[in-house]
Amino acid sequence: MSVRLKLLGGVLAIAAMMVVTGLVVLHADDQSARRAAVTTAEQVAAGLAKDVAYSLVPSGEPGTSVPLYDDPTALRAYVRRMHDLQARDLVVLDTSQRVLADAEPADNDTVYNWDLGDEVRLTILDQKPREFIEQSGDSGTAAIREVVVPLIDASDVTLGAVIYEYTPTYDQMVAMTGRAERTITIIGAVCILVVLLLGALVAESITRRIRRLTRAVEVVRDGDFSQRVVTGGRDEIGQLGTAFNDMAFRLEQSAREILAKEYTDRILANAGEGICGVDAAGRFTFANEAAGRITGLGVEGLLTRYAGALLPAAGEIVGDGVEREVTLDRADGTSVRVAYTVSTIEAGDRVIGAVVVLRDVTRQRALEHDLRHQALHDGLTGLPNRKLFLDRLEHAMTRARESGEPIGVLYLDLDGFKKVNDSLGHNAGDQLLRTTAERLQAALRPHDTVARLGGDEFAVLLEGAGSLETLVDDLLAALSRPFLLYDREATVSASIGVVPDAARYTDADEVIRNADVAMYAAKAGGKARHQVFESRMHEQLLDRLDLENRLREAVHRGELRLHLQPVVEVRTRRLAGVEALVRWEDPERGLQPPGAFIPLAEETGLITEIDRWVLLAACEAVRHWQDISPDTAPAWVSVNLSAANLEVPDLTDRVAYALASSGLSPRCLVLELTETVLMRDIAVTAQRLEELRELGVQIAIDDFGTGYSSLGYLRDIPVDVLKVDRSFIIGLATSPRQQELVSAVVQLGHTLGLKVVAEGIEEEDQLTALAAMGCRYAQGFHLGRPAPAASLIGAALELTHARADGRHRQAGPGQ
């Protein structure tokens, strides 16, 4: 049981004792009141008895008198008078209990028999007053309290008894006592409540202080010796709190001292670095676990050795704080690189020993070597990177200038790498780069340097090469062989720029720049070849940079022009749709076809901005056409999207904006992507195309049949239109095999529910053959060349007006 409950129990016990005492007092007071009422009644009755026995009344003779008892008439008159004055019964009996006088005349001369306890008879016999309860018929159900006293004359002879009713006196005294008892009870209850309240407060105060002290003891028991309590007061609990605080303070000091020693021991034992103590003789006197582990000797093995035999300079206990390194051969056959320092321990002016701190730096040195290697080598191929190549080239140029021995530099770029990367994925592209590096190294001499400069670009440093032509041809031949990439064969070539006498240039950067320029010249000359650098190539490079800058500003300056090429229905030769094409109105060179700037735009990333402009302009032009001439307007417009657009996060938002701003219905827009672009990553491509189709636009496969993929992707990619590449249309009219192939493609498209459009129609025979195959749509120069949108709209309006005039002339003036 808690202290609080014990204190409250004590208070409750005191309160209970007070209640019991109060009840005893009240009971005694009640009994006293009752006894006082009886005593008073007995005294009054005794006085009345004396009046009856001694009071004299005149007798019948002059000058004589008799006692009131002997004169019945006077006695009865006396009794009635006393009854009238005191409003209570008074009965006088003789020794035979016969009623001599009663307030009730009818009871006179009757025998008094309402004393069930026979108290009256006993009083007459022994002359002792008694009390009793009268049960008489005239009192109804109420009990009348009576006292009976003996009636004794002057000669001490018992004459009878006097019965006196004391009920009113008793009731008055009981009532007065009851009021006093109620007052005492209320005061006692209030006192008890106050005692209980004070007891509860005292108990709470004491137990609260005890609880605080108990919690503090529990905290100290759990190891937190910083706990303190507020003493508060000078009583025993306060003194106990003071003693506790003093004890906790001493425990805290002891714990700190113990903890400091444990920390020191544990730090030494668990330190990652080895820590050894060396005495004045140069022997190990102390070693922690790390020191034993690093050296491979263990703690016991170290304590048997001289420091100088293991660590040079450690035996000389004069420490200079310089970190030294040494390679230790351990007993298990491994070796470890250890860095250590020696610090002197002095006592006064005397050197008594030294502390040797050693650490294993094997992994650190290996990591530093790896980092240096990574900083100077390509992570994918393991070849030197641009930084290392430039450094080697600089040194080679210095040596060549001193020795006069020629050096050459080759700059290689793979032709067709982007197509492999787009069609087979980046993993295949990485494999192609690794295989390329292996072939280059195999084709060159051991002392030649091959480096990867970035992307699909490589550089070769040739020192002491007699004929560069032979080496370059060997490289071209090595790279022309097919590459096996994930069970698929891919063929690429290389364009090589050659700087034959690199030592005559100022620095390595200039040599690389010139080789790069020569490489671009090789690409421009047809690829899969090499080109020796010439000074005029700088001018061509500057022209290309100028072209790039002007193209970058072309969109913002409004130099792009929209051309539309008709797509007609083969059977009716009516306009069904148009394909949007872009031209560049170059201020310096005039109107440029797509082939003059689109490749550069794709290389520089400008293609996405050009495609955005074409998309918006095409939607606005066709919507305008539909507004002014709905009968001649095309049902759709096709817009080409380059591969870079699939990487644009907000492509769907761009398309939605073009439709919303122009007001063109989504069903009137067809987005064209080449087969190669669609196959880059089917899962990602399908998701992006599905987002576009949710807008309501259609998707077309442009140049169908020219990619590396199988027809299986038609099942996985959501498309609506197949555009048969122009390469299938060439020779269509004269080649049965070509006709069968195109017919199969057309039937495949119709079977899949796709719209089929044949591109590159340049002859009527080709159109006739397509009609025979059931091909519904076609486009080409034979059906209409690309022209500005305004020209096509104007021609359509003129044709409409001409047809209207013809119908009007045929109808005649009367109609």
Side-chain angles (χ1 to χ4, degrees), residues 113-367:
N113 56 1
W114 299 311
D115 175 16
L116 300 181
D118 204 17
E119 302 291 340
V120 175
R121 186 181 64 81
L122 295 175
T123 297
I124 293 173
L125 292 176
D126 59 12
Q127 297 183 357
K128 293 181 179 180
R130 285 179 174 80
E131 57 177 309
F132 66 93
I133 302 301
E134 177 185 324
Q135 296 292 339
S136 60
D138 61 349
S139 62
T141 59
I144 300 175
R145 295 182 181 273
E146 304 280 5
V147 295
V148 57
V149 297
L151 182 61
I152 303 172
D153 62 6
S155 301
D156 199 22
V157 176
T158 300
L159 302 178
V162 174
I163 298 173
Y164 178 72
E165 179 188 0
Y166 72 95
T167 300
T169 301
Y170 176 83
D171 291 341
Q172 289 176 1
M173 287 190 175
V174 170
M176 291 175 64
T177 303
R179 287 194 296 272
E181 289 177 350
R182 284 193 296 274
T183 302
I184 292 172
T185 302
I186 292 172
I187 293 173
V190 171
C191 291
I192 292 172
L193 290 176
V194 171
V195 169
L196 290 175
L197 179 60
L198 291 176
L201 293 176
V202 171
E204 178 62 26
S205 175
I206 293 173
T207 54
R208 182 171 61 251
R209 295 170 66 189
I210 293 176
R211 282 197 301 269
R212 284 202 299 264
L213 189 57
T214 302
R215 285 195 297 268
V217 171
E218 291 175 348
V219 171
V220 170
R221 181 194 61 190
D222 294 336
D224 183 4
F225 302 123
S226 62
Q227 184 69 26
R228 300 292 186 273
V229 296
V230 179
T231 55
R234 299 181 179 179
D235 54 8
E236 288 79 359
I237 297 179
Q239 293 174 1
L240 182 60
T242 302
F244 169 81
N245 289 340
D246 182 64
M247 178 196 68
F249 174 74
R250 296 185 182 185
L251 287 174
E252 185 176 15
Q253 282 187 324
S254 300
R256 286 178 179 175
E257 293 173 359
I258 295 172
L259 190 60
K261 185 178 184 305
E262 289 181 353
Y263 276 172
T264 302
D265 293 342
R266 290 188 180 183
I267 288 172
L268 291 175
N270 299 316
E273 295 181 336
I275 302 174
C276 302
V278 180
D279 62 13
R283 289 179 302 183
F284 287 114
T285 58
F286 167 81
N288 66 348
E289 294 289 341
R293 183 178 63 254
I294 292 172
T295 60
L297 297 172
V299 174
E300 296 298 329
L302 275 174
L303 297 181
T304 62
R305 291 177 175 258
Y306 282 91
L310 188 66
L311 304 172
E316 302 172 6
I317 59 175
V318 179
D320 53 9
V322 176
E323 185 174 80
R324 297 174 174 83
E325 288 192 13
V326 64
T327 299
L328 299 180
D329 295 324
R330 296 192 284 199
D332 59 1
T334 61
S335 61
V336 60
R337 189 69 179 173
V338 176
Y340 65 96
T341 59
V342 180
S343 301
T344 301
I345 302 175
E346 297 180 356
D349 296 332
R350 187 169 59 91
V351 176
I352 61 173
V355 174
V356 179
V357 178
L358 54 116
R359 56 192 178 92
D360 183 357
V361 294
T362 306
R363 296 186 62 184
Q364 179 181 341
R365 298 297 176 258
L367 179 60

Side-chain angles (χ1 to χ4, degrees), residues 738-815:
Q738 194 82 339
Q739 292 175 7
E740 292 177 0
L741 179 60
V742 174
S743 177
V745 173
V746 171
Q747 296 306 317
L748 172 65
H750 291 166
T751 301
L752 296 176
L754 306 178
K755 189 184 300 181
V756 180
V757 180
E759 296 183 294
I761 307 301
E762 298 183 357
E763 300 174 0
E764 182 65 26
D765 292 343
Q766 295 171 340
L767 199 62
T768 302
L770 288 173
M773 298 174 191
C775 183
R776 186 174 179 184
Y777 302 101
Q779 71 179 94
F781 287 171
H782 181 70
L783 299 172
R785 290 179 174 272
S791 300
L792 288 180
I793 295 174
L797 290 176
E798 290 178 2
L799 180 61
T800 301
H801 294 156
R803 290 175 178 173
D805 291 342
R807 287 194 298 270
H808 180 71
R809 285 194 299 271
Q810 290 177 2
Q815 295 183 355

Side-chain angles (χ1 to χ4, degrees), residues 397-418:
M397 291 171 67
T398 300
R399 290 192 299 270
R401 293 188 188 105
E402 295 175 353
S403 64
E405 186 178 42
I407 60 173
V409 172
L410 310 181
Y411 199 107
L412 295 85
D413 183 87
L414 298 181
D415 305 321
F417 173 76
K418 186 174 185 301

